[in-house]
Tab-separated table of all heavy atoms in Angstrom:
chain	number	residue	atom	x	y	z
K	457	ASP	N	110.310	113.343	88.013
K	457	ASP	CA	111.455	114.052	87.425
K	457	ASP	C	111.009	115.101	86.419
K	457	ASP	O	111.365	116.280	86.517
K	457	ASP	CB	112.378	113.062	86.701
K	457	ASP	CG	113.090	112.107	87.631
K	457	ASP	OD1	113.181	112.399	88.831
K	457	ASP	OD2	113.546	111.055	87.143
K	458	ARG	N	110.260	114.662	85.425
K	458	ARG	CA	109.971	115.507	84.276
K	458	ARG	C	108.819	116.478	84.521
K	458	ARG	O	108.788	117.565	83.948
K	458	ARG	CB	109.644	114.639	83.056
K	458	ARG	CG	110.878	113.977	82.447
K	458	ARG	CD	111.756	115.026	81.744
K	458	ARG	NE	112.836	114.408	80.994
K	458	ARG	CZ	114.095	114.379	81.398
K	458	ARG	NH1	114.432	114.924	82.553
K	458	ARG	NH2	115.017	113.796	80.660
K	459	TYR	N	107.859	116.093	85.363
K	459	TYR	CA	106.678	116.929	85.543
K	459	TYR	C	106.485	117.427	86.979
K	459	TYR	O	105.450	118.002	87.294
K	459	TYR	CB	105.431	116.175	85.066
K	459	TYR	CG	105.414	115.983	83.562
K	459	TYR	CD1	105.648	114.738	82.999
K	459	TYR	CD2	105.200	117.057	82.710
K	459	TYR	CE1	105.648	114.563	81.616
K	459	TYR	CE2	105.199	116.896	81.335
K	459	TYR	CZ	105.430	115.648	80.797
K	459	TYR	OH	105.431	115.487	79.428
K	460	HIS	N	107.466	117.198	87.823
K	460	HIS	CA	107.474	117.754	89.186
K	460	HIS	C	106.236	117.361	89.996
K	460	HIS	O	105.796	118.111	90.874
K	460	HIS	CB	107.596	119.278	89.133
K	460	HIS	CG	108.904	119.776	88.606
K	460	HIS	ND1	109.329	121.067	88.756
K	460	HIS	CD2	109.899	119.154	87.914
K	460	HIS	CE1	110.511	121.233	88.192
K	460	HIS	NE2	110.873	120.069	87.669
K	461	ILE	N	105.679	116.188	89.710
K	461	ILE	CA	104.481	115.740	90.405
K	461	ILE	C	104.799	115.540	91.893
K	461	ILE	O	105.877	115.081	92.266
K	461	ILE	CB	103.964	114.437	89.762
K	461	ILE	CG1	103.494	114.729	88.334
K	461	ILE	CG2	102.865	113.814	90.581
K	461	ILE	CD1	102.406	115.762	88.223
K	462	ASP	N	103.812	115.859	92.748
K	462	ASP	CA	104.032	115.858	94.195
K	462	ASP	C	103.637	114.551	94.864
K	462	ASP	O	103.967	114.343	96.036
K	462	ASP	CB	103.229	117.003	94.828
K	462	ASP	CG	103.591	118.338	94.213
K	462	ASP	OD1	104.742	118.763	94.370
K	462	ASP	OD2	102.716	118.953	93.558
K	463	GLY	N	102.920	113.709	94.168
K	463	GLY	CA	102.521	112.453	94.771
K	463	GLY	C	101.925	111.516	93.746
K	463	GLY	O	101.393	111.936	92.713
K	464	LEU	N	102.020	110.213	94.026
K	464	LEU	CA	101.437	109.184	93.174
K	464	LEU	C	100.488	108.343	94.011
K	464	LEU	O	100.893	107.747	95.015
K	464	LEU	CB	102.523	108.297	92.565
K	464	LEU	CG	103.496	108.998	91.606
K	464	LEU	CD1	104.651	108.068	91.260
K	464	LEU	CD2	102.792	109.465	90.341
K	465	ARG	N	99.237	108.339	93.617
K	465	ARG	CA	98.242	107.479	94.272
K	465	ARG	C	98.132	106.212	93.444
K	465	ARG	O	97.782	106.243	92.266
K	465	ARG	CB	96.911	108.215	94.382
K	465	ARG	CG	95.764	107.379	94.957
K	465	ARG	CD	94.942	106.798	93.838
K	465	ARG	NE	93.663	106.262	94.259
K	465	ARG	CZ	92.858	105.581	93.456
K	465	ARG	NH1	93.193	105.366	92.199
K	465	ARG	NH2	91.719	105.118	93.893
K	466	VAL	N	98.492	105.084	94.013
K	466	VAL	CA	98.563	103.825	93.279
K	466	VAL	C	97.201	103.153	93.320
K	466	VAL	O	96.665	102.857	94.392
K	466	VAL	CB	99.655	102.911	93.853
K	466	VAL	CG1	99.743	101.624	93.034
K	466	VAL	CG2	101.005	103.626	93.842
K	467	ASP	N	96.657	102.916	92.155
K	467	ASP	CA	95.320	102.355	92.011
K	467	ASP	C	95.350	100.838	92.185
K	467	ASP	O	96.303	100.167	91.809
K	467	ASP	CB	94.786	102.707	90.621
K	467	ASP	CG	93.379	102.218	90.395
K	467	ASP	OD1	92.476	102.687	91.104
K	467	ASP	OD2	93.182	101.357	89.512
K	468	ALA	N	94.267	100.302	92.780
K	468	ALA	CA	94.002	98.856	92.800
K	468	ALA	C	95.141	98.047	93.417
K	468	ALA	O	95.517	96.992	92.904
K	468	ALA	CB	93.699	98.357	91.390
K	469	VAL	N	95.677	98.530	94.528
K	469	VAL	CA	96.795	97.831	95.162
K	469	VAL	C	96.391	96.432	95.624
K	469	VAL	O	97.162	95.476	95.520
K	469	VAL	CB	97.356	98.660	96.336
K	469	VAL	CG1	98.375	97.865	97.146
K	469	VAL	CG2	97.988	99.949	95.817
Side-chain angles (χ1 to χ4, degrees):
D457 292 341
R458 286 289 188 256
Y459 291 107
H460 293 195
I461 294 301
D462 304 295
L464 296 171
R465 176 264 194 187
V466 182
D467 182 64
V469 171

